[in-house]
Amino acid sequence: MNATAAMPQSTKKPPVQKEDAMWLQKEMINHNYHELATSREQGRKVAATFVPGNLNELLMCFDFARSLPETNALQNGLRKKSGKFILDAERDGQSEDVCNYVKADLGMMLGGEIGPTGEALPKPDILLLSYTGCFTFMKWFELIRHKYGCESVMLHVPYQGEGKIAPNMREYVVKQLKDTVIPTLERISGVKFDIDRLRQYMKESAKAEEDLVAVLQSAKNRPSPIDGYFGAVYYIGPIFTAFRGTPEATEFYRVLRQEIEQRVREGKGPITPDGEMGEEKYRLVVEGPPNWTSFREFWKMFYDEGAVVVTSTYAKVGGVYDFGFRHDPEHPIESLAEYCLGCYTNLNLPSRIDMICKYIDEYQADGLLINSIKSCNSFSAGQLLILREVEKRTGKPAAFIETDLVDPRYFSAANVKNRLESYLQMVKQKRTAAAAAAAH
């Protein structure tokens, strides 16, 4: 099932091809921006929070409209608005080395809070920081709190240093939720906490998570019916933002799963912005977030070469569901704690390496490609170690490309293309050598 919509003629680009579900998720994201823009008229309070470890089901129990600063930054990047915001933030005193999501967000504030869809975003009433592996989040909210004078509440999530979630870690997070986070949300919202309401949202979350995993794991097929990095961005949007726990998200993932299962039955590869992808020549695992300011151009470099990303670590930043976690309505508070503790950026490097090696094996990938993000320490730290270990353990080639999240100054198309082509050449040579060795 395809849907086609013409881009404005001035861009001189051919029409963008998307699955129906891709259009639906765009509508959902835009609808959330409209809800935020009209929240004051509706008498609703606003909470700002981050994607990894976001407590969406809990926030919905208090009727908060939900804003996610990372999503605002990446949406502005996709719409080519972030470059100006970053320059504005630097002129205002932010360093060049600060995470560019932060600068894109601060620059948007300096420009009068006009959000990605052109509607003004409200000032938050509460900043909910469920820290999961990225120190920058803390500084980011400190700057927002300083600007708006709004309250913040922090859920401290212990790092998985030993590679597993210990019972005392879970208890520590549960205690904070019960003693600090929930009472603060009650006070700010004026709504009393109802655990049965939380349970109901979690039932919806678990259904959506089940369907999302089926979609992501469909890439084990040959050809893969999806791109697990670029295409997956559309798939993870609703569940990683303000929709997890809603009937709309459940319906979105039900429709998406049906579409993808149909593609598997028909033996089709992924849909790209230029339509059906041609022959699948390379199967890659990618580590690190995408570049948003040149997203379509970046993706095109891959599918022009017949390279499909069968799975990526980025598609797990809002929850590592494919290793079994589901929100559990029977144990709702413990489930929130477990979710935060298990986020990808909260995993230690050995766990990340294990995960990538498992992906290369299970998805029959030709190798690992790392997109090293200039301004993102939580992803970039340790990536060279990851590369060397994965190569050593799998015998598959690995390589680096370098871009940035939302700063157009750090996307060199020629450089990325050269590195990608060189890497795919290396993959081809390794495969030829392996085939020759097997023949003898």
Side-chain angles (χ1 to χ4, degrees):
M1 281 159 54
N2 288 353
T4 309
M7 299 264 293
Q9 288 304 303
S10 59
T11 62
K12 294 193 175 137
K13 283 183 182 173
V16 176
Q17 306 273 326
K18 292 184 184 179
E19 289 146 321
D20 287 352
M22 290 181 176
W23 293 112
L24 183 55
Q25 74 85 35
K26 187 175 181 180
E27 280 172 32
M28 289 167 78
I29 302 282
N30 288 350
H31 176 68
N32 192 57
Y33 280 121
H34 183 65
E35 279 208 347
L36 282 165
T38 57
S39 57
R40 295 295 178 236
E41 298 157 34
Q42 297 163 2
R44 291 178 73 187
K45 297 282 176 73
V46 176
T49 194
F50 291 108
V51 170
N54 83 71
L55 304 175
N56 198 57
E57 298 91 345
L58 187 64
L59 288 170
M60 291 196 296
C61 290
F62 302 97
D63 300 326
F64 283 108
R66 296 160 313 280
S67 178
L68 294 102
E70 293 150 280
T71 309
N72 300 342
L74 79 82
Q75 289 289 337
N76 277 320
L78 282 167
R79 291 164 168 83
K80 312 223 180 275
K81 296 177 177 182
S82 56
K84 178 189 180 301
F85 293 151
I86 289 165
L87 290 174
D88 289 346
E90 287 176 356
R91 275 193 287 267
D92 195 50
Q94 296 300 323
S95 159
E96 260 194 42
D97 294 324
V98 170
C99 165
N100 281 313
Y101 271 170
V102 178
K103 287 188 288 191
D105 192 44
L106 297 177
M108 183 181 76
M109 290 179 198
L110 291 168
E113 320 294 335
I114 303 303
T117 56
E119 292 183 284
L121 297 182
K123 295 176 183 177
D125 298 286
I126 181 81
L127 305 171
L128 171 58
L129 173 56
S130 41
Y131 164 73
T132 49
C134 176
F135 282 112
T136 302
F137 286 168
M138 290 190 256
K139 192 68 188 171
W140 192 344
F141 265 8
E142 194 180 292
L143 292 166
I144 298 175
R145 184 178 64 192
H146 180 72
K147 179 173 171 60
Y148 291 138
C150 54
E151 279 198 60
S152 59
V153 60
M154 178 167 173
L155 178 66
H156 179 249
V157 178
Y159 181 60
Q160 274 200 49
E162 301 295 311
K164 60 181 186 292
I165 298 171
N168 65 321
M169 293 159 73
R170 194 181 296 107
E171 287 156 19
Y172 173 63
V173 179
V174 167
K175 185 170 172 20
Q176 293 175 77
L177 284 163
K178 288 179 174 173
D179 296 355
T180 309
V181 176
I182 289 172
T184 304
L185 297 176
E186 279 185 320
R187 179 170 53 78
I188 299 287
S189 67
V191 176
K192 186 139 183 57
F193 176 58
D194 177 354
I195 198 159
D196 289 327
R197 192 173 169 186
L198 180 59
R199 285 196 170 102
Q200 188 51 44
Y201 292 140
M202 287 205 169
K203 280 181 191 165
E204 298 290 345
S205 295
K207 281 188 260 183
E209 288 155 4
E210 197 67 31
D211 285 340
L212 172 66
V213 168
V215 167
L216 295 176
Q217 293 189 339
S218 71
K220 292 179 182 180
N221 288 281
R222 282 180 181 268
S224 167
I226 66 164
D227 184 282
Y229 183 53
F230 299 100
V233 161
Y234 296 97
Y235 307 149
I236 63 180
I239 209 165
F240 285 8
T241 59
F243 291 94
R244 197 184 64 237
T246 66
E248 294 94 324
T250 306
E251 178 61 12
F252 170 82
Y253 288 101
R254 189 189 66 76
V255 169
L256 174 63
R257 183 175 182 173
Q258 283 182 341
E259 283 190 10
I260 300 305
E261 285 175 349
Q262 181 65 27
R263 297 188 71 73
V264 171
R265 284 193 291 274
E266 293 172 4
K268 289 182 173 177
I271 289 183
T272 76
D274 292 321
E276 299 279 345
M277 183 173 147
E279 184 196 347
E280 178 185 288
K281 296 177 185 170
Y282 305 98
R283 293 168 66 85
L284 307 178
V285 173
V286 171
E287 148 75 6
N291 166 273
W292 300 111
T293 48
S294 301
F295 185 77
R296 188 176 171 187
E297 184 183 2
F298 190 25
W299 188 358
K300 188 172 171 25
M301 290 177 193
F302 284 72
Y303 61 75
D304 278 354
E305 296 288 337
V308 65
V309 182
V310 283
T311 190
S312 64
T313 56
Y314 179 73
K316 314 295 155 37
V317 287
V320 187
Y321 302 112
D322 53 342
F323 289 101
F325 173 80
R326 299 289 180 274
H327 280 86
D328 179 5
E330 298 302 312
H331 306 95
I333 308 290
E334 293 77 7
S335 190
L336 291 172
E338 190 99 15
Y339 167 67
C340 291
L341 286 158
C343 281
Y344 180 74
T345 45
N346 207 46
L347 304 181
N348 66 12
L349 289 178
S351 299
R352 295 188 197 191
I353 291 163
D354 287 346
M355 186 174 167
I356 291 167
C357 291
K358 193 172 163 65
Y359 282 156
I360 287 173
D361 178 41
E362 289 188 357
Y363 288 77
Q364 299 175 7
D366 295 307
L368 169 69
L369 189 65
I370 294 176
N371 183 27
S372 188
I373 298 294
K374 181 188 181 293
S375 72
C376 180
N377 292 332
S378 73
F379 261 101
S380 302
Q383 281 181 332
L384 187 57
L385 172 73
I386 289 173
L387 179 137
R388 287 178 176 153
E389 277 297 307
V390 169
E391 274 197 322
K392 194 161 79 184
R393 280 169 53 176
T394 65
K396 299 285 175 74
F400 271 99
I401 50 176
E402 292 170 294
T403 69
D404 190 68
L405 297 161
V406 289
D407 190 336
R409 294 173 297 184
Y410 298 111
F411 185 82
S412 165
N415 191 8
V416 173
K417 198 169 189 309
N418 284 341
R419 288 201 186 188
L420 180 62
E421 286 172 357
S422 301
Y423 172 62
L424 295 176
Q425 199 59 40
M426 182 165 68
V427 168
K428 201 171 175 181
Q429 284 166 354
K430 278 239 177 190
R431 279 200 309 217
T432 307
H440 288 93

